[in-house]
Amino acid sequence: MMKDVHPNYTEIKVTCSCGNAFTTRSTMAKDLHIEVCAQCHPFYTGKQKVVDTAGRIEKFKNKYGSMVR
């Protein structure tokens, strides 16, 4: 590898808004603050909800219900 071409790869601390913190390595030279992590994201916690606005799911089932198994 060529010298002085690649950025420094250092260890940084990542802090989520839920309070979870972990360390990782990055070319960023400062700590990182994020809003959502794997500890608080609804998809990973199992609290994900399907929002049915205006009965779209029922409308789909009525229209394609016989074809979808």
Side-chain angles (χ1 to χ4, degrees):
M1 289 187 356
M2 295 175 58
K3 289 188 177 204
D4 301 326
V5 174
H6 301 283
N8 292 331
Y9 195 59
T10 60
E11 191 171 283
I12 64 168
K13 181 178 180 182
V14 180
T15 307
C16 181
S17 61
C18 71
N20 185 34
F22 57 93
T23 58
T24 188
R25 294 180 53 90
S26 175
T27 56
M28 272 181 59
K30 59 183 181 178
D31 291 345
L32 182 63
H33 298 280
I34 58 175
E35 295 180 13
V36 180
C37 68
Q39 299 296 319
C40 63
H41 192 280
F43 180 79
Y44 297 110
T45 59
K47 296 178 183 176
Q48 184 177 16
K49 297 179 183 177
V50 175
V51 178
D52 182 16
T53 57
R56 292 181 187 195
I57 294 175
E58 286 300 320
K59 184 177 176 183
F60 179 84
K61 286 181 180 178
N62 290 339
K63 188 173 184 179
Y64 299 106
S66 61
M67 292 190 280
V68 178
R69 294 180 191 242

